[in-house]
Amino acid sequence: EVQLVESGGGLVQPGRSLRLSCAASGFIFDDYAMHWVRQAPGKGLEWVSGISWNSGSIGYADSVKGRFTISRDNAKNSLYLQMNSLRAEDMALYYCAKDGRGYDSKGWFDPWGQGTLVTVSS
Amino acid sequence: QSVLTQPPSVSGAPGQRVTISCTGSSSNIGAGYDVHWYQQLPGTAPKLVIYSNRNRPSGVPDRFSGSKSGTSASLAITGLQAEDEADYYCQSYDSSLSGSVFGGGTKLTVL
Protein backbone atom coordinates (compact mmCIF):
# COMPACT_ATOMS: atom_id res chain seq x y z
CA GLU A 1 0.00 0.00 0.00
CA VAL A 2 1.32 3.44 -0.95
CA GLN A 3 1.69 5.69 2.09
CA LEU A 4 2.75 9.30 2.45
CA VAL A 5 3.23 10.71 5.94
CA GLU A 6 3.96 14.40 6.43
CA SER A 7 5.57 15.91 9.50
CA GLY A 8 7.23 19.10 10.65
CA GLY A 9 4.27 21.45 10.83
CA GLY A 10 3.59 23.67 13.80
CA LEU A 11 3.29 27.21 15.09
CA VAL A 12 5.90 29.63 13.79
CA GLN A 13 6.31 33.41 13.96
CA PRO A 14 6.18 35.52 10.79
CA GLY A 15 9.60 35.77 9.17
CA ARG A 16 10.85 32.52 10.68
CA SER A 17 11.56 29.17 9.00
CA LEU A 18 10.14 25.66 9.06
CA ARG A 19 11.08 22.40 7.32
CA LEU A 20 8.42 19.91 6.33
CA SER A 21 9.13 16.25 5.63
CA CYS A 22 7.21 13.54 3.82
CA ALA A 23 8.06 9.89 4.36
CA ALA A 24 7.06 7.64 1.45
CA SER A 25 6.54 3.89 1.41
CA GLY A 26 4.87 1.20 -0.69
CA PHE A 27 6.31 2.24 -4.06
CA ILE A 28 9.66 2.81 -5.78
CA PHE A 29 10.20 6.38 -4.63
CA ASP A 30 12.88 7.33 -7.16
CA ASP A 31 10.60 6.37 -10.07
CA TYR A 32 8.21 9.22 -9.37
CA ALA A 33 8.05 13.00 -9.24
CA MET A 34 6.59 14.44 -6.04
CA HIS A 35 4.65 17.55 -5.06
CA TRP A 36 3.61 19.78 -2.20
CA VAL A 37 0.07 21.19 -2.26
CA ARG A 38 -1.45 23.42 0.41
CA GLN A 39 -4.91 24.38 1.54
CA ALA A 40 -5.54 27.45 3.67
CA PRO A 41 -8.38 27.16 6.21
CA GLY A 42 -11.71 27.17 4.36
CA LYS A 43 -10.02 27.73 1.00
CA GLY A 44 -9.20 25.73 -2.11
CA LEU A 45 -6.16 23.75 -3.15
CA GLU A 46 -2.96 25.52 -4.21
CA TRP A 47 -0.01 23.74 -5.83
CA VAL A 48 3.17 24.84 -4.06
CA SER A 49 6.05 22.97 -5.65
CA GLY A 50 7.04 19.88 -7.61
CA ILE A 51 10.25 17.94 -8.13
CA SER A 52 11.14 15.33 -10.74
CA TRP A 53 12.43 11.87 -9.87
CA ASN A 54 16.09 12.89 -9.98
CA SER A 55 15.68 16.51 -8.78
CA GLY A 56 16.62 17.65 -12.28
CA SER A 57 13.39 19.59 -12.77
CA ILE A 58 11.91 21.73 -9.99
CA GLY A 59 9.02 24.19 -10.06
CA TYR A 60 7.42 26.61 -7.63
CA ALA A 61 4.25 28.63 -7.44
CA ASP A 62 4.92 32.36 -7.80
CA SER A 63 3.60 32.88 -4.26
CA VAL A 64 6.51 30.93 -2.73
CA LYS A 65 9.30 31.37 -5.29
CA GLY A 66 12.49 32.57 -3.64
CA ARG A 67 11.30 31.64 -0.14
CA PHE A 68 10.58 27.89 -0.32
CA THR A 69 12.92 25.11 -1.45
CA ILE A 70 11.82 21.61 -2.35
CA SER A 71 14.22 18.69 -2.18
CA ARG A 72 14.24 14.91 -1.97
CA ASP A 73 16.48 12.15 -0.68
CA ASN A 74 15.84 9.03 -2.73
CA ALA A 75 18.01 6.93 -0.43
CA LYS A 76 15.70 7.81 2.46
CA ASN A 77 12.43 7.75 0.46
CA SER A 78 11.77 11.27 1.68
CA LEU A 79 10.55 14.59 0.33
CA TYR A 80 11.20 17.94 2.00
CA LEU A 81 10.01 21.53 1.88
CA GLN A 82 12.21 24.21 3.43
CA MET A 83 10.05 27.26 4.12
CA ASN A 84 11.80 30.55 4.89
CA SER A 85 10.49 34.06 5.54
CA LEU A 86 7.08 32.68 6.43
CA ARG A 87 4.07 34.97 6.11
CA ALA A 88 0.56 34.88 7.53
CA GLU A 89 -0.72 33.88 4.09
CA ASP A 90 1.43 30.73 4.18
CA MET A 91 -0.73 29.34 6.98
CA ALA A 92 -2.29 26.17 5.63
CA LEU A 93 -2.50 22.40 5.69
CA TYR A 94 0.41 21.16 3.58
CA TYR A 95 -0.05 17.93 1.66
CA CYS A 96 2.58 15.74 0.08
CA ALA A 97 1.46 13.95 -3.11
CA LYS A 98 2.92 11.45 -5.55
CA ASP A 99 2.85 12.30 -9.23
CA GLY A 100 0.80 9.65 -11.01
CA ARG A 101 2.48 10.16 -14.34
CA GLY A 102 5.89 9.16 -13.06
CA TYR A 103 9.25 10.71 -13.75
CA ASP A 104 8.39 14.34 -14.51
CA SER A 105 6.10 16.61 -12.51
CA LYS A 106 3.34 17.33 -15.00
CA GLY A 107 0.87 14.66 -14.00
CA TRP A 108 -1.86 14.01 -11.51
CA PHE A 109 -1.58 13.69 -7.75
CA ASP A 110 -2.24 10.27 -6.29
CA PRO A 111 -2.22 9.49 -3.49
CA TRP A 112 -2.09 12.36 -1.01
CA GLY A 113 -0.85 12.29 2.55
CA GLN A 114 -3.02 13.44 5.43
CA GLY A 115 -1.25 16.78 5.64
CA THR A 116 0.68 18.72 8.24
CA LEU A 117 -0.62 22.03 9.57
CA VAL A 118 1.51 25.16 9.44
CA THR A 119 0.33 28.06 11.57
CA VAL A 120 2.04 31.43 11.14
CA SER A 121 1.31 33.82 13.95
CA SER A 122 3.08 36.05 16.43
CA GLN B 1 -8.34 34.13 -8.74
CA SER B 2 -7.67 30.60 -9.91
CA VAL B 3 -6.10 29.84 -13.29
CA LEU B 4 -8.80 27.23 -13.94
CA THR B 5 -12.40 28.40 -13.50
CA GLN B 6 -15.06 26.24 -11.85
CA PRO B 7 -18.57 27.11 -10.68
CA PRO B 8 -18.60 27.65 -6.90
CA SER B 9 -21.50 25.27 -6.38
CA VAL B 10 -23.78 22.76 -8.08
CA SER B 11 -26.61 20.67 -6.71
CA GLY B 12 -28.83 17.78 -7.65
CA ALA B 13 -31.33 15.35 -6.21
CA PRO B 14 -30.45 11.73 -5.52
CA GLY B 15 -30.38 9.73 -8.74
CA GLN B 16 -29.91 12.78 -10.94
CA ARG B 17 -26.95 13.72 -13.13
CA VAL B 18 -24.75 16.76 -12.50
CA THR B 19 -21.81 18.20 -14.37
CA ILE B 20 -18.99 20.42 -13.16
CA SER B 21 -17.13 22.53 -15.70
CA CYS B 22 -13.48 23.57 -15.66
CA THR B 23 -12.39 26.34 -18.01
CA GLY B 24 -8.76 27.10 -18.76
CA SER B 25 -6.75 28.79 -21.47
CA SER B 26 -4.27 28.25 -24.28
CA SER B 27 -1.39 27.74 -21.83
CA ASN B 28 -2.96 24.85 -19.93
CA ILE B 29 -5.99 22.84 -21.08
CA GLY B 30 -5.93 24.41 -24.55
CA ALA B 31 -2.25 23.56 -24.94
CA GLY B 32 -3.11 19.88 -24.72
CA TYR B 33 -2.29 19.26 -21.08
CA ASP B 34 -4.48 16.70 -19.38
CA VAL B 35 -7.14 17.53 -16.82
CA HIS B 36 -7.52 15.62 -13.56
CA TRP B 37 -10.32 15.71 -10.98
CA TYR B 38 -10.31 15.29 -7.20
CA GLN B 39 -13.02 14.74 -4.61
CA GLN B 40 -12.53 16.15 -1.14
CA LEU B 41 -14.90 15.01 1.58
CA PRO B 42 -15.11 17.23 4.67
CA GLY B 43 -12.04 16.93 6.88
CA THR B 44 -10.19 14.55 4.56
CA ALA B 45 -7.39 14.70 2.01
CA PRO B 46 -8.33 15.03 -1.66
CA LYS B 47 -8.87 11.81 -3.60
CA LEU B 48 -8.30 11.34 -7.32
CA VAL B 49 -11.50 10.43 -9.20
CA ILE B 50 -10.53 11.10 -12.85
CA TYR B 51 -7.05 11.31 -14.41
CA SER B 52 -5.93 12.22 -17.90
CA ASN B 53 -9.31 13.67 -18.86
CA ARG B 54 -11.44 10.52 -18.77
CA ASN B 55 -9.74 7.70 -16.89
CA ARG B 56 -11.08 6.34 -13.61
CA PRO B 57 -8.68 4.99 -10.97
CA SER B 58 -9.43 1.56 -9.60
CA GLY B 59 -12.23 1.71 -7.05
CA VAL B 60 -13.93 4.84 -8.39
CA PRO B 61 -17.52 4.06 -9.45
CA ASP B 62 -18.36 4.29 -13.14
CA ARG B 63 -20.93 6.92 -12.18
CA PHE B 64 -18.00 9.33 -12.46
CA SER B 65 -16.83 10.33 -15.94
CA GLY B 66 -14.71 13.06 -17.48
CA SER B 67 -14.35 14.78 -20.81
CA LYS B 68 -12.24 17.51 -22.38
CA SER B 69 -12.70 19.77 -25.38
CA GLY B 70 -10.71 22.80 -26.44
CA THR B 71 -9.90 24.90 -23.38
CA SER B 72 -12.47 23.24 -21.12
CA ALA B 73 -13.16 19.99 -19.32
CA SER B 74 -16.11 18.53 -17.43
CA LEU B 75 -16.76 16.05 -14.67
CA ALA B 76 -20.10 14.26 -14.77
CA ILE B 77 -21.66 12.31 -11.94
CA THR B 78 -24.71 10.20 -12.69
CA GLY B 79 -27.05 8.46 -10.26
CA LEU B 80 -26.20 11.00 -7.52
CA GLN B 81 -25.83 9.59 -4.03
CA ALA B 82 -25.63 11.33 -0.68
CA GLU B 83 -22.02 10.16 -0.32
CA ASP B 84 -21.06 12.20 -3.40
CA GLU B 85 -21.60 15.44 -1.47
CA ALA B 86 -18.12 16.97 -1.41
CA ASP B 87 -15.84 19.60 -2.92
CA TYR B 88 -14.49 18.83 -6.39
CA TYR B 89 -11.34 20.31 -7.94
CA CYS B 90 -9.91 20.19 -11.45
CA GLN B 91 -6.15 20.33 -12.04
CA SER B 92 -3.85 20.66 -15.05
CA TYR B 93 -0.37 21.83 -15.98
CA ASP B 94 0.34 25.36 -17.19
CA SER B 95 3.26 26.01 -19.51
CA SER B 96 3.37 29.76 -18.84
CA LEU B 97 3.60 29.21 -15.10
CA SER B 98 5.76 26.08 -15.43
CA GLY B 99 3.71 24.36 -12.79
CA SER B 100 0.46 22.68 -11.90
CA VAL B 101 -2.71 24.68 -11.45
CA PHE B 102 -6.05 24.01 -9.75
CA GLY B 103 -9.56 25.25 -10.21
CA GLY B 104 -11.15 27.11 -7.32
CA GLY B 105 -13.29 24.12 -6.39
CA THR B 106 -16.99 23.30 -6.69
CA LYS B 107 -19.17 22.35 -3.76
CA LEU B 108 -21.62 19.61 -4.72
CA THR B 109 -24.78 19.46 -2.65
CA VAL B 110 -27.05 16.45 -2.86
CA LEU B 111 -30.55 17.75 -2.13
Side-chain angles (χ1 to χ4, degrees):
Chain A
E1 179 196 5
V2 175
Q3 270 203 315
L4 299 171
V5 180
E6 304 93 337
S7 61
L11 173 63
V12 61
Q13 293 178 327
R16 303 297 291 264
S17 299
L18 207 58
R19 189 195 196 206
L20 306 183
S21 299
C22 171
S25 61
F27 65 102
I28 302 174
F29 185 70
D30 51 9
D31 273 356
Y32 291 90
M34 298 292 295
H35 301 267
W36 289 100
V37 178
R38 69 184 180 183
Q39 186 169 34
K43 302 296 184 182
L45 302 173
E46 180 187 16
W47 176 79
V48 173
S49 183
I51 185 169
S52 63
W53 69 280
N54 64 350
S55 305
S57 177
I58 287 175
Y60 298 97
D62 287 344
S63 57
V64 306
K65 205 170 290 183
R67 299 187 299 121
F68 289 12
T69 302
I70 192 172
S71 62
R72 63 189 295 161
D73 186 334
N74 287 345
K76 294 183 177 179
N77 289 349
S78 293
L79 176 72
Y80 306 101
L81 186 67
Q82 177 67 42
M83 304 186 296
N84 298 333
S85 304
L86 281 161
R87 306 167 179 168
E89 54 264 35
D90 295 319
M91 186 162 66
L93 186 60
Y94 283 73
Y95 293 103
C96 162
K98 170 178 162 283
D99 192 293
R101 203 167 93 148
Y103 57 96
D104 70 13
S105 51
K106 298 179 180 178
W108 58 93
F109 307 142
D110 182 51
W112 301 55
Q114 285 307 299
T116 186
L117 183 63
V118 173
T119 302
V120 183
S121 175
S122 53
Chain B
Q1 194 85 353
S2 301
V3 173
L4 304 179
T5 301
Q6 299 180 233
S9 63
V10 298
S11 62
Q16 285 191 332
R17 178 181 186 267
V18 296
T19 61
I20 299 173
S21 61
C22 175
T23 302
S25 67
S26 58
S27 60
N28 42 69
I29 300 175
Y33 292 105
D34 289 338
V35 178
H36 321 292
W37 292 90
Y38 304 89
Q39 176 194 63
Q40 187 175 33
L41 298 170
T44 70
K47 171 192 167 187
L48 180 73
V49 292
I50 293 289
Y51 68 97
S52 296
N53 309 316
R54 57 177 62 249
N55 298 292
R56 274 179 292 105
S58 173
V60 173
D62 60 6
R63 302 185 296 103
F64 290 81
S65 63
S67 63
K68 173 189 162 186
S69 179
T71 58
S72 295
S74 290
L75 172 70
I77 309 172
T78 59
L80 262 185
Q81 299 181 3
E83 67 202 49
D84 299 331
E85 190 162 284
D87 293 324
Y88 291 84
Y89 296 88
C90 61
Q91 175 245 324
S92 187
Y93 182 85
D94 192 288
S95 58
S96 294
L97 300 173
S98 297
S100 292
V101 289
F102 282 99
T106 299
K107 181 174 183 56
L108 168 62
T109 300
V110 180
L111 303 170

